[in-house]
Amino acid sequence: MRRLLFESVFRQPLTEQAPTPGDAAVAELATALGSAARRRLGRSLSIREIDAGSCNGCELEIHALNNAYYDVERFGLRFVASPRHADVLMVTGPVTKNMREALERTYQATPDPKWVVAIGDCARDGGCFAGSYAVVGGVSEVVPVDLHIPGCPPTPTAMLQGLLALLERADTAAVTS
Amino acid sequence: MPSLIDLALEGRKVPQHGPWPRVIVDTSVWRFTARELAHGRWNLLGLWGEPATVHMAIMDGDTSEIAVVGLDCPNRTYPSVGMHHPPALRLERAINDLFGLSAEGLPDTRPWLDHNRWGLRFPLGDHIEALPTAAPYPFLAVEGNGLHQIAVGPVHAGIIEPGHFRFTASGETVVRLEQRLGYTHKGIEGLMTGASLERAVQLAGRVSGDSTVAYAYAFSRAAEAALELVVPDRAVFLRALLAELERLANHLGDIGAVCNDASFALMHAHCGVLRESVLRAANAAFGHRLMRDVIVPGGVARDISADGAETIQAALDNIRLRFPALVELYDNTASLQDRTVDTGILKPALASQYATGGYIGRASGRSFDARQNLSYAPYDSLRLQVPVLNEGDVNARVWIRVREVEQSLSLIDQILNRLPEGPLGANAAHRVEPREGMAIVEGFRGDILVWLRLRDGKVERCHLRDPSWFQWPLLEAVIENNIVADFPLCNKSFNCSYSGQDL
């Protein structure tokens, strides 16, 4: 373990190896997100993830946000275990009828101000599951949605981009209200 | 002991069902089959319904002979398999929820997928109006001094799928865990009915996101079996490449995540980096990080990109360089071993009774791996060693994954070295008459079964059986007498699919 930790001290951080435009975009977003989040919430934004019936594809990519390449915690964005600690609810999946009440109750348990980000094509309108007897539809059928991030599933980069857009909107709302 | 073939002779053979035989039997043969399953002579691979028929897929564990047994049930009842053979219990409850076919003698008649929220009952059979009020779900009673209950979910603390766990604990020790699933039920089998092959394979790829390749693979192979479609060699090899990349990414993620549940974040961070490298290589090679919608009936939808093989090879080289040190770290960290060794033991007898697949079965002495036992192409021409352990604890399930990472690396090498040139797909002639097919594909989690009937270019009925159906119930068994704090470790070492089970 010591050797591995020692090596890590001398290894280039993975996040700074930015040879491709994709990686550069992540770094760019990182800076912008950092300053916007700081203005609004003192550099801290807590996210609670809710799977409202997804296939788990979106969850895999949300997990990736925490890996060393995307490392969302550098920007003050962190995933929390309870809706009562959250500023943002990230909701995935077509909302199934069996999950509707759980989503509503989680939303109600989240203190104001709060934002809802619907992740993935299914969360927009039910995606390929729309019309099923067991599916309500998109997240906005159940709780108000501030932002959709499309994709099946969206890439971690797309999710970072989306969170940035949300922060700027939240900022504008705060100024105008 | 009668062979499956002998059993097949007892019934009316269904024409145009491939590649294994399907027979329609009477209730006495159905009951006989249930008893043979209970005696452990055969394995239950699946049990599913149609509006007036039930089907059961069975396998001879020694010879890997497979057959599908069907029973018409005009009176909407059939003799319960679950009363003899517990692995069928939840499947029979689901059949009742979806089709309104009841299993006579089923000891547990509580609903499973139906939470009385759909606005109707028996959505895939002759549906009727929903019950006026949702009755509370009666959990099994647990009685004793000083017992307390812990209710968890459906919204969990982590970034995971929804499900409810009801723990009964005596102090820190879990006396009973009862699962309540079905929250992510999307009605996929309902959407499948009447769907074109293009739409159906898209749905199949969205049954369980972490197995999107394996599901599209299994669905496509079932459709090809029904249509007697021959897939060109290049597509056969590319499919296995996709499947191995998916397995590799998932196993790397899981090894780290199990350690993370013992608060050993270092492994998690490093394994996460390796997983990401596989996803990036997959994206470079096939245009999608999870390789979604690449496998389609007849072949693959797109070729590997020009520099795809090179990118994958580079990711593999990096894993070969970094992974051994992580395995050594896992093996040599006493505090981590203290959490994983002897925790959550699944006894080989249970693994064998439930015909549990994947790393769960193989960590408990059940060697079945569809790639080897059913040796579908191209695995029949590739070198593969299936790792098996008997300890059945969390540690063994981690080690099986470690060995399977090594096997997948070797398989990908072999595939890239031999990738044949040629067309990417074959088109099926339009068939008006009903044709049935079944396929079993080894996903990272275990064997995925897909059975379907096509008619006039559309799916008439498609059943997709996730490996988790035979793994979730065992999680209830392994957590018994472990402490509550070890549940995340046990759960992650199983890593069952919610969406795949709920469907």
Side-chain angles (χ1 to χ4, degrees):
Chain A
M1 178 157 57
R2 281 200 199 114
R3 189 162 56 86
L4 207 64
L5 289 169
F6 191 67
E7 278 174 10
S8 301
V9 172
F10 293 100
R11 251 173 98 182
Q12 286 282 315
L14 293 161
T15 36
E16 289 187 6
Q17 294 176 348
T20 65
D23 289 339
V26 173
E28 260 175 43
L29 281 165
T31 324
L33 185 57
S35 62
R38 200 160 40 239
R39 280 203 308 277
R40 176 71 193 159
L41 290 148
R43 215 166 187 277
S44 160
L45 194 57
S46 296
I47 305 170
R48 170 65 250 190
E49 198 270 342
I50 305 161
D51 177 340
S54 96
C55 74
N56 195 31
C58 290
E59 276 65 33
L60 296 175
E61 292 297 59
I62 294 172
H63 266 295
L65 283 174
N66 280 319
N67 77 27
Y69 286 91
Y70 306 103
D71 189 20
V72 286
E73 291 215 14
R74 325 175 255 174
F75 317 130
L77 294 169
R78 54 192 284 267
F79 287 92
V80 293
S82 166
R84 298 197 191 281
H85 304 158
D87 307 303
V88 173
L89 297 180
M90 263 177 131
V91 188
T92 64
V95 181
T96 61
K97 292 189 177 168
N98 287 353
M99 268 306 283
R100 178 182 195 135
E101 188 190 342
L103 174 60
E104 285 166 349
R105 287 171 66 172
T106 308
Y107 181 79
Q108 284 154 15
T110 310
D112 286 321
K114 58 190 163 194
W115 293 272
V116 175
V117 182
I119 301 284
D121 292 344
C122 300
R124 180 184 286 276
D125 55 9
C128 63
F129 305 110
S132 164
Y133 63 88
V135 166
V136 179
V139 176
S140 61
E141 305 258 338
V142 182
V143 295
V145 170
D146 295 283
L147 180 76
H148 286 107
I149 300 176
C152 185
T155 60
T157 311
M159 284 192 266
L160 273 182
Q161 280 169 329
L163 286 171
L164 169 70
L166 172 79
L167 278 165
E168 291 190 338
R169 207 174 114 178
D171 245 22
T172 324
V175 172
T176 51
S177 61
Chain B
M1 175 179 140
S3 81
L4 279 175
I5 299 298
D6 293 338
L7 180 81
L9 293 174
E10 293 278 321
R12 181 162 50 84
K13 195 158 186 282
V14 177
Q16 284 153 356
H17 183 284
W20 298 289
R22 179 164 97 80
V23 289
I24 308 283
V25 299
D26 57 20
T27 47
S28 67
V29 178
W30 181 269
R31 281 203 184 90
F32 167 77
T33 309
R35 282 194 299 270
E36 292 296 290
L37 287 169
H39 289 139
R41 297 197 184 98
W42 294 331
N43 294 331
L44 181 66
L45 293 181
L47 178 63
W48 64 95
E50 281 197 82
T53 316
V54 282
H55 303 275
M56 166 159 58
I58 48 178
M59 179 176 73
D60 185 320
D62 297 324
T63 62
S64 298
E65 251 186 301
I66 289 170
V68 181
V69 181
L71 174 70
D72 290 326
C73 24
N75 300 325
R76 317 197 63 72
T77 61
Y78 61 97
S80 169
V81 179
M83 67 188 285
H84 303 289
H85 190 54
L89 285 174
R90 289 178 178 180
L91 291 158
E92 291 187 340
R93 291 165 69 186
I95 289 173
N96 189 53
D97 288 353
L98 298 176
F99 294 95
L101 302 175
S102 64
E104 278 174 333
L106 177 66
D108 185 348
T109 55
R110 294 173 297 169
W112 181 242
L113 299 177
D114 187 351
H115 294 194
N116 201 23
R117 309 260 174 172
W118 300 334
L120 77 171
R121 293 184 75 197
F122 317 141
L124 305 186
D126 296 330
H127 43 79
I128 58 169
E129 281 193 22
L131 298 170
T133 48
Y137 185 77
F139 284 91
L140 300 177
V142 189
E143 287 170 6
N145 283 332
L147 295 181
H148 65 283
Q149 288 205 334
I150 309 169
V152 181
V155 178
H156 293 161
I159 304 170
I160 56 169
E161 301 180 81
H164 182 86
F165 298 122
R166 185 66 60 98
F167 296 93
T168 304
S170 170
E172 271 298 303
T173 308
V174 177
V175 178
R176 168 176 279 165
L177 161 65
E178 194 183 350
Q179 298 151 357
R180 169 97 174 104
L181 302 176
Y183 290 93
T184 67
H185 178 74
K186 294 178 270 293
I188 293 176
E189 293 190 356
L191 293 168
M192 281 276 185
T193 303
S196 64
L197 275 183
E198 294 75 41
R199 163 138 167 90
V201 72
Q202 185 197 26
L203 283 167
R206 281 154 183 79
V207 169
S208 180
D210 51 22
S211 302
T212 179
V213 170
Y215 267 98
Y217 197 175
F219 178 88
S220 298
R221 289 193 54 236
E224 288 147 12
L227 298 168
E228 292 171 335
L229 193 56
V230 179
V231 178
D233 277 353
R234 186 172 176 82
V236 166
F237 276 80
L238 283 175
R239 286 172 171 201
L241 174 60
L242 292 155
E244 294 311 318
L245 285 170
E246 181 175 80
R247 193 180 328 275
L248 188 59
N250 281 316
H251 279 347
L252 287 169
D254 277 2
I255 293 167
V258 170
C259 298
N260 196 46
D261 279 339
S263 298
F264 197 70
L266 185 62
M267 279 289 286
H268 184 50
H270 282 272
C271 288
V273 168
L274 296 186
R275 175 183 157 84
E276 178 71 19
S277 72
V278 178
L279 299 186
R280 288 182 174 204
N283 191 37
F286 295 101
H288 192 286
R289 285 161 57 88
L290 304 181
M291 298 162 285
R292 217 160 221 177
D293 302 329
V294 182
I295 296 181
V296 292
V300 287
R302 48 186 181 271
D303 204 351
I304 186 169
S305 65
D307 57 354
E310 214 171 291
T311 317
I312 292 171
Q313 200 63 62
L316 257 51
D317 290 346
N318 183 50
I319 293 170
R320 284 207 171 88
L321 182 70
R322 309 252 173 230
F323 191 57
L326 298 178
V327 176
E328 200 188 316
L329 175 64
Y330 172 78
D331 202 25
N332 289 333
T333 304
S335 60
L336 188 55
Q337 293 282 304
D338 181 50
R339 297 292 305 278
T340 60
V341 175
D342 276 348
T343 303
I345 294 173
L346 173 65
K347 294 197 182 79
L350 267 181
S352 144
Q353 184 189 8
Y354 277 72
T356 307
Y359 40 80
I360 301 175
R362 294 193 280 275
S364 293
R366 185 173 183 264
S367 67
F368 181 82
D369 183 319
R371 294 173 295 172
Q372 185 165 73
N373 293 62
L374 307 178
S375 65
Y376 49 92
Y379 294 103
D380 53 349
S381 64
L382 298 173
R383 281 188 320 280
L384 165 69
Q385 284 177 328
V386 176
V388 183
L389 292 169
N390 290 308
E391 286 78 2
D393 54 1
V394 171
N395 182 50
R397 289 188 284 276
V398 170
W399 273 108
I400 295 288
R401 285 177 169 97
V402 169
R403 294 291 171 241
E404 290 189 8
V405 162
E406 293 161 4
Q407 288 300 312
S408 286
L409 292 173
S410 148
L411 285 166
I412 294 171
D413 272 348
Q414 295 175 54
I415 294 165
L416 289 177
N417 285 336
R418 297 176 43 186
L419 191 59
E421 293 298 328
L424 294 173
N427 285 323
H430 187 83
R431 307 276 199 159
V432 179
E433 79 280 8
R435 301 186 73 90
E436 299 175 345
M438 187 164 100
I440 296 170
V441 159
E442 189 72 21
F444 92 98
R445 181 178 279 121
D447 49 297
I448 293 168
L449 179 149
V450 173
W451 179 87
L452 49 73
R453 183 188 301 117
L454 305 173
R455 191 193 292 264
D456 200 11
K458 299 256 192 287
V459 175
E460 185 172 277
R461 170 84 178 102
C462 175
H463 171 67
L464 310 116
R465 195 271 297 141
D466 197 88
S468 304
W469 279 101
F470 301 124
Q471 297 171 342
W472 273 121
L474 299 177
L475 182 60
E476 291 185 345
V478 307
I479 190 62
E480 237 176 74
N481 291 324
N482 284 257
I483 59 171
V484 177
D486 279 343
F487 179 69
L489 276 167
C490 296
N491 191 23
K492 193 68 213 180
S493 74
F494 267 58
N495 193 16
C496 299
S497 171
Y498 299 70
S499 184
Q501 199 265 190
D502 296 348
L503 210 59

